[in-house]
Amino acid sequence: MRPADFPVPDTAAARAALTLAREYQSAAITAHGLRSWLWAEGFARAGGFDGIDHELLYVSAVLHDIGTMAEFDNHTLSYEDAGGHVAIAVTAGAGWARERRRRALEVIVRHNWTSVDRTMDAEGHLLEIATGLDISGARADVLPEGFLREVLAAHPRGELAAEFGACVRDQAARKPDTAARRLVDGGVVAKLAANPLERL
């Protein structure tokens, strides 16, 4: 398994998502999105998933935390819900049908669920476990170490632990009824620091 096995979708939506991410997010948060996409693709291959919408998975992964950015923050919605609406706008501009645009919202919102049933939402499940790996190191043993190292070399973690920790604490303080509060109460800051990917 190599990162080159998973080409970036050559589509208007994929290009727009990455452009938006790079213009509004820090390098560390954007790299987190790209690693999450590659982890998701790796888990899909390791888990024998069929029929994955790879463009949907890419767009959702790249934009899944954009709702933490000040320009897209929403004073009432959770950051994942706000980010999902950004994905709807991006994919509408790319000509996606309404149902598929809503899928981008669903996948992004569900990445913060405690668990997503793969039979109910394959892409949501893959993004949920991929972000779990990148944030807390969960399931790191499922993917080959060589693949992990190559992805980390291509998209370094940088200051992700400090940046994302600060983002989620801010979200939890301002929106205590959202998933951000559960993440903070569950020790996400300590999990970021202890993630074995930090030592690869």
Side-chain angles (χ1 to χ4, degrees):
M1 187 184 295
R2 305 287 301 276
D5 295 341
F6 309 113
V8 173
D10 184 17
T11 67
R15 289 188 292 271
L18 185 58
T19 296
L20 200 65
R22 285 176 168 163
E23 286 188 4
Y24 287 95
Q25 297 179 164
S26 70
I29 297 296
T30 299
H32 163 59
L34 291 168
R35 285 192 310 274
S36 295
W37 164 63
L38 286 164
W39 303 147
E41 290 285 4
F43 283 130
R45 177 168 294 184
F49 283 74
D50 293 318
I52 295 299
D53 185 333
H54 296 281
E55 183 187 20
L56 169 66
L57 186 58
Y58 178 86
V59 169
S60 300
V62 169
L63 295 177
H64 78 269
D65 282 335
I66 202 162
T68 64
M69 301 299 105
E71 296 85 353
F72 300 109
D73 196 0
N74 184 296
H75 75 286
T76 57
L77 295 179
S78 66
Y79 74 84
E80 64 273 19
D81 206 352
H85 287 285
V86 173
I88 286 179
V90 167
T91 54
W96 285 21
R98 184 178 187 278
E99 183 177 333
R100 193 164 179 237
R101 296 196 304 265
R102 296 293 300 182
R103 285 288 297 126
L105 170 66
E106 290 172 352
V107 172
I108 291 174
V109 166
R110 291 170 183 169
H111 96 271
N112 258 356
W113 287 11
T114 55
S115 178
V116 180
D117 186 338
R118 63 179 282 176
T119 63
M120 183 267 290
D121 182 353
E123 292 83 8
H125 169 79
L126 289 168
L127 188 57
E128 178 253 315
I129 63 173
T131 55
L133 167 58
D134 210 59
I135 295 300
S136 66
R139 306 183 193 218
D141 58 333
V142 174
L143 301 177
E145 185 175 324
F147 178 66
L148 298 177
R149 290 184 179 277
E150 282 195 75
V151 171
L152 290 166
H155 306 290
R157 294 180 69 78
E159 297 301 315
L160 176 68
E163 287 188 27
F164 186 73
C167 281
V168 77
R169 284 195 301 267
D170 172 67
Q171 291 282 323
R174 291 188 292 111
K175 306 172 200 176
D177 296 327
T178 66
R181 179 79 263 162
R182 174 178 52 78
L183 292 174
V184 170
D185 290 347
V188 69
V189 174
K191 290 175 182 177
L192 279 159
N195 190 325
L197 297 181
E198 292 285 347
R199 299 185 292 279
L200 282 184

